[in-house]
Coordinates of all heavy atoms in Angstrom, one line a residue:
Y1149 N 60.4 14.7 64.5 CA 61.3 13.6 64.1 C 61.9 13.0 65.4 O 62.1 11.8 65.6 CB 62.4 14.1 63.2 CG 63.5 13.1 62.8 CD1 63.3 12.1 61.9 CD2 64.7 13.0 63.4 CE1 64.2 11.1 61.5 CE2 65.7 12.1 63.2 CZ 65.4 11.1 62.2 OH 66.3 10.2 61.9
E1186 N 51.1 8.2 57.8 CA 51.6 8.6 56.5 C 53.1 8.5 56.3 O 53.5 8.4 55.1 CB 51.1 10.0 56.3 CG 49.6 10.1 56.1 CD 49.1 11.6 56.0 OE1 49.8 12.5 56.5 OE2 48.0 11.8 55.4
V1187 N 53.9 8.7 57.4 CA 55.4 8.6 57.3 C 55.8 7.3 57.4 O 57.0 7.0 57.3 CB 56.0 9.6 58.3 CG1 55.5 11.0 58.0 CG2 55.7 9.2 59.6
F1188 N 54.9 6.3 57.7 CA 55.4 4.9 58.0 C 56.2 4.3 56.8 O 57.1 3.6 57.1 CB 54.1 4.0 58.3 CG 54.4 2.7 58.7 CD1 54.8 2.5 60.0 CD2 54.3 1.5 57.9 CE1 55.1 1.2 60.5 CE2 54.6 0.3 58.4 CZ 55.0 0.1 59.6
F1189 N 55.9 4.7 55.6 CA 56.6 4.0 54.5 C 57.5 5.0 53.8 O 57.9 4.7 52.6 CB 55.5 3.5 53.4 CG 54.6 2.4 54.0 CD1 53.3 2.8 54.2 CD2 55.1 1.2 54.2 CE1 52.5 1.7 54.8 CE2 54.3 0.2 54.9 CZ 53.0 0.5 55.1
T1190 N 58.0 6.0 54.4 CA 58.8 7.0 53.8 C 60.3 6.7 53.9 O 61.1 7.4 53.1 CB 58.7 8.3 54.4 OG1 59.0 8.2 55.7 CG2 57.2 8.8 54.2
D1191 N 60.7 5.6 54.6 CA 62.2 5.3 54.8 C 62.9 6.4 55.6 O 64.1 6.2 55.8 CB 62.8 5.0 53.5 CG 62.3 3.8 52.7 OD1 61.8 2.9 53.4 OD2 62.2 3.9 51.5
V1192 N 62.2 7.4 56.1 CA 62.8 8.4 56.9 C 62.6 8.0 58.4 O 63.5 8.4 59.2 CB 62.3 9.8 56.6 CG1 62.9 10.9 57.5 CG2 62.5 10.1 55.1
Y1193 N 61.5 7.5 58.7 CA 61.2 7.3 60.1 C 61.2 5.7 60.4 O 60.7 5.0 59.6 CB 59.8 7.8 60.4 CG 59.8 9.3 60.3 CD1 59.5 9.9 59.1 CD2 59.9 10.2 61.4 CE1 59.4 11.3 59.0 CE2 59.7 11.5 61.4 CZ 59.6 12.1 60.1 OH 59.5 13.4 60.0
P1194 N 61.8 5.3 61.5 CA 61.8 3.9 61.9 C 60.4 3.3 62.0 O 59.7 3.8 62.9 CB 62.6 3.8 63.2 CG 63.4 5.1 63.2 CD 62.5 6.1 62.5
Q1195 N 60.1 2.3 61.3 CA 58.8 1.7 61.4 C 58.5 1.1 62.7 O 57.4 1.3 63.2 CB 58.5 0.7 60.2 CG 58.5 1.3 58.9 CD 58.2 0.3 57.8 OE1 58.2 -0.9 58.0 NE2 58.0 0.9 56.6
G1231 N 54.4 -0.9 50.9 CA 55.5 -1.2 51.8 C 55.5 -2.5 52.3 O 56.5 -3.1 52.8

Side-chain angles (χ1 to χ4, degrees):
Y1149 177 80
E1186 290 177 332
V1187 302
F1188 187 76
F1189 298 109
T1190 61
D1191 295 327
V1192 176
Y1193 297 84
Q1195 292 186 345

